[in-house]
Amino acid sequence: MDDTKQEWQYHGNKPIKGRKLLLIQQSELVIALPLIFRLIPKEQISRRSAWFESSGESELQFLKISELLSLVARKRKQSVDLSVELEQLNFCLNEMFSDYGWRMVRKELAQIKKRKKKSHIELSNDLVHRLKAFMSLKQLDSFDQAVDHLLSDCEKIRSDNGEVE
């Protein structure tokens, strides 16, 4: 998967400090497409007017972006090269969103990525102590490794017994 980073083309003055804003990358499509679909309807544009460039052709932009979003989503599911379509989509998004708006979109994407990466599971102290003892016994460094080890053992036992999940 080609994950070429397209940089945001600033509408106003380019900031001197901070990270460069990036447009959507192929690896982000799964989470970015639903977010963009959610942000481009007219009621969202009027609600968050600072996020968008004011333009008389917003209806035409909306239709073009919707079409490109659908095309990119379809091609992504088919595992077809979509670099040209993604570049076109990014160009349209760059025209539609303001610098501030795209910064907010990137913030939301970062939050979504963060939430998808982490889970919070509550365990009793007794289980935590037992897991730590297991980690020490097996010389494991993290709870992730310990749980993975235990689940792998469980799967192996099931497959040895001929059980189907």
Side-chain angles (χ1 to χ4, degrees):
M1 173 178 5
D2 180 27
D3 217 12
T4 313
K5 294 181 180 181
Q6 283 183 269
E7 288 186 18
W8 175 261
Q9 301 302 312
Y10 290 90
H11 300 285
N13 294 335
K14 189 175 181 178
I16 299 167
K17 295 181 180 179
R19 281 193 185 130
K20 294 177 182 176
L21 282 177
L22 296 176
L23 290 160
I24 297 172
Q25 300 168 45
Q26 274 188 268
S27 62
E28 299 173 317
L29 284 175
V30 174
I31 57 171
L33 292 178
L35 174 63
I36 301 299
F37 268 120
R38 199 173 68 234
L39 291 173
I40 62 170
K42 281 185 177 180
E43 61 273 0
Q44 289 296 321
I45 292 173
S46 59
R47 218 175 103 221
R48 296 181 169 133
S49 59
W51 286 34
F52 298 92
E53 288 293 306
S54 57
S55 167
E57 52 192 57
S58 61
E59 184 69 30
L60 187 62
Q61 270 185 326
F62 172 78
L63 292 172
K64 187 172 183 179
I65 287 177
S66 296
E67 188 178 299
L68 282 168
L69 284 168
S70 298
L71 181 64
V72 167
R74 207 174 325 111
K75 280 194 159 191
R76 185 192 65 76
K77 287 179 184 171
Q78 297 169 349
S79 301
V80 179
D81 179 44
L82 48 89
S83 53
V84 173
E85 291 81 3
L86 183 58
E87 197 170 313
Q88 289 174 340
L89 175 63
N90 278 331
F91 178 78
C92 290
L93 291 172
N94 204 146
E95 284 184 333
M96 183 179 216
F97 283 90
S98 66
D99 295 344
Y100 170 76
W102 194 252
R103 192 172 300 110
M104 295 299 104
V105 169
R106 292 304 308 183
K107 270 186 179 180
E108 283 197 35
L109 276 175
Q111 284 299 314
I112 293 168
K113 284 181 185 177
K114 191 175 176 181
R115 282 193 299 271
K116 285 194 180 283
K117 257 192 232 180
K118 295 191 172 205
S119 294
H120 178 80
I121 301 172
E122 290 188 24
L123 299 173
S124 66
N125 281 336
D126 182 46
L127 275 176
V128 170
H129 291 300
R130 288 174 62 194
L131 265 175
K132 285 182 178 178
F134 179 77
M135 289 166 56
S136 174
L137 180 70
K138 297 290 184 179
Q139 297 178 341
L140 302 171
D141 299 323
S142 69
F143 287 114
D144 274 357
Q145 288 176 338
V147 170
D148 185 52
H149 190 282
L150 290 167
L151 288 173
S152 296
D153 285 353
C154 182
E155 287 170 6
K156 185 177 180 332
I157 291 168
R158 280 186 161 181
S159 67
D160 289 348
N161 291 336
E163 291 180 31
V164 179
E165 289 185 27

